[in-house]
Amino acid sequence: MLKLTRYSELLLKKGIVEKDILEKAAIIQAGEAENPRKLEEILVTDFKIDHDLVYGTLAELYAFRKIKINTEQFESNQLAKTKELLNSFPEKLRNELIYKKILPYRASTGRKGSLIVLAVDTTDRIVQQIPLQTEYKKYEVVYCPLATMEQLIGMVAPQKNEFLEILEEVGEQMNELDDVSKDSGLDEYALDEEINKSLLVNLFEGCILEAVRRGASDIHIMPFGRSSVDFYFRIDGKLMRWHRQENTSPEAMAAVVKDRSSGVDRFERDNAQDGFTQRLVDGHLIRFRISIIPIVSSEIERRYESVVIRVIDDRNVITDLRKLGFQAKAEKDFLKSISKSKGIILVTGPTGSGKSTTLMAALYNVIDPSKCVLTVEDPVEYVIRGARQLKISHKMNFEEAIRAILRHDPDIVMVGEIRDKITAEIAIKLANTGHLTFSTLHTNDAPSAVSRLYKMGAEPFLLAYAINIIIAQRLVRKLCPECRQPLSKEKYPAALEMGITQEELDKGLVYEAGPGCKKCNGGYKGRVNICEALYFTPEIRQSIVNSGKEIDEDEIRRIAEEQGMLSLKDSGLDRIRNGLSSLEEIAYATSED
């Protein structure tokens, strides 16, 4: 039984966390035998509890003062003084304080040598170094909200991308050689010479550093003509060009990526390749999965390749299912489904719809030391604490791995994707033999997932009683709350056609993207899901059992919607009515339905 501290009791009393989350956090903390993290860090990092609620409560418990600063009205005089104060600190201490988001703010008036220190974690011991390493022997630590602190640090000590700074300092050194291609193929010596002269390594390193800091999920590096390369970042699901490098051969840029990665052959240009690399970015180890494919161009003598780099940042993993943002009934049905001891939890949707994120959060909700949790993914992207993850290789393919887990005494199994009749049959067998089974499938909506499994060869009776729930989801961009604006009247007809009422329009409850501001990307910031959650009630099961030669998807949908299921479109309309997303986003996400 969890022994509550004063801090835990205060979190519970304020309704910031629930007891089961505290218990799971305590289990994680106990499992970190060497250098365990603090409870508040686990709550924020692993369970995505709001930082300010967690650390603000901690500051309140220990009677630290809180401060409110309007960064938009921050006086230039005060900014200069804060910069001067920070720069007077030893460089090592200064860097450690900024990394921990602690900022010496100002010397308080009337008390010579006394310092006000802003901190997002008022209990961080690094502040104890201030009187030891500076002239300020007296100091007061004051709690500052995370968003305010990040804005202040951006003004006082903005993050630098040292690789891009080098490129700016030396100017244009991307000197194109006469021709790196010959009739017989690439001139490798000329290619090496171009790489060595051009600082392309700095461009690549600066690119991946910038991608992490901007929250990009993917980096695309593509040829643009004979001597130009385009760099794109995928942010909030949309590709946007970050940089075009002129006077650089695409072959040279691809060679740099290969040289700085593992698992790929620099001299192989005719086959697709997969590799990986990792970097320490701002104190966090970030992994990158690299995909390289040969592509054709009008210049047949050139051997172009397209590079896509997936950014795998464990800080973005959601471990608290309630942070996924499901609507009320969908969340209730999902929690009920994963609380059972057996059955299949199936998440469907196109690539990039957040299926893996949903499964990760669900797994973290059910993992505990008393259960054997096995996963089979290809590839494994995120390390899941408390799970045994199988690695697919040339010695053990996907099918062999799934068969192996049947002999490994699992309680909970995650199969990355149901691909064919064999994987479908094994998933159903696992569910019907008392195992909770998680997996994904590529279908447009929830009822069609039943048809897909049936067409793979699964019997209706087995399907009906093996599945607990099917979640079909999409990710849509969220409107920036700072610059969103009421829907313009010329778009009213489209809104009415989608299902928005005239009354809702008249009340100004519907918004569209604004012009963009410094806090967003063209009027949008972040993403939220829309979903339909098909929970298998007795009526749904009976409908599937009674199926003849075809699964009646319309009948399944009719029953589910009568029982309260929101369709993808209705889920999207709810997001619109709550000012979270726009007509365009919902129409685009549900256009195929």
Side-chain angles (χ1 to χ4, degrees), residues 126-183:
I126 188 65
V127 295
Q128 296 174 8
Q129 294 299 313
I130 292 176
L132 300 177
Q133 298 188 42
T134 74
E135 62 181 283
Y136 298 97
K137 306 307 176 187
K138 295 180 181 179
Y139 63 88
E140 178 192 5
V141 180
V142 178
Y143 177 73
C144 178
L146 178 61
T148 303
M149 177 63 80
E150 289 177 341
Q151 290 172 18
L152 284 172
I153 288 176
M155 297 163 66
V156 176
Q159 287 181 318
K160 296 180 180 180
N161 190 325
E162 58 270 27
F163 302 105
L164 298 184
E165 283 185 342
I166 292 171
L167 291 176
E168 291 175 3
E169 287 174 6
V170 300
E172 286 293 330
Q173 286 193 21
M174 305 296 184
N175 300 316
E176 186 178 24
L177 301 183
D178 291 338
D179 196 350
V180 298
S181 63
K182 305 296 180 186
D183 291 339

Side-chain angles (χ1 to χ4, degrees), residues 24 32 38 120 152 163 261 275 283 285 296 381 409 432 438:
K24 288 176 182 177
E32 297 175 349
K38 295 190 291 186
V120 297
L152 284 172
F163 302 105
S261 309
L285 185 66
V296 298
E381 290 192 347
D409 188 30
N432 285 329
F438 296 84

Side-chain angles (χ1 to χ4, degrees), residues 341-388:
S341 61
K342 63 179 182 178
I344 297 174
I345 286 80
L346 198 59
V347 185
T348 80
T351 301
S353 60
K355 299 187 297 295
S356 296
T357 300
T358 298
L359 285 184
M360 291 281 284
L363 270 179
Y364 272 108
N365 199 80
V366 298
I367 285 176
D368 69 55
S370 69
K371 296 183 176 73
C372 172
V373 181
L374 296 172
T375 76
V376 183
E377 306 161 81
D378 185 19
V380 174
E381 290 192 347
Y382 297 100
V383 176
I384 304 171
R385 283 187 299 274
R388 306 173 206 181

Side-chain angles (χ1 to χ4, degrees), residues 39 84 96 120 204 244 276 282 362 367 395 401 421 432 443 450 486 536 538 546:
L39 176 65
E84 183 181 353
E96 287 179 350
V120 297
F204 172 65
R244 174 171 290 165
F276 67 92
D282 301 329
I367 285 176
K395 293 184 177 180
K421 181 179 180 181
N432 285 329
T443 60
V450 183
F536 274 45
N546 293 340

Side-chain angles (χ1 to χ4, degrees), residues 51-52 67-71 74 82 86 97-105 116-122 127 141-159:
H51 182 283
D52 293 330
I67 192 170
K68 287 186 178 181
I69 299 172
N70 188 340
T71 54
F74 202 61
T82 302
L86 180 64
L97 290 174
I98 293 299
Y99 172 66
K100 294 288 189 72
K101 291 186 171 57
I102 296 171
L103 187 66
Y105 181 50
I116 293 178
V117 180
L118 306 182
V120 297
D121 177 5
T122 50
V127 295
V141 180
V142 178
Y143 177 73
C144 178
L146 178 61
T148 303
M149 177 63 80
E150 289 177 341
Q151 290 172 18
L152 284 172
I153 288 176
M155 297 163 66
V156 176
Q159 287 181 318

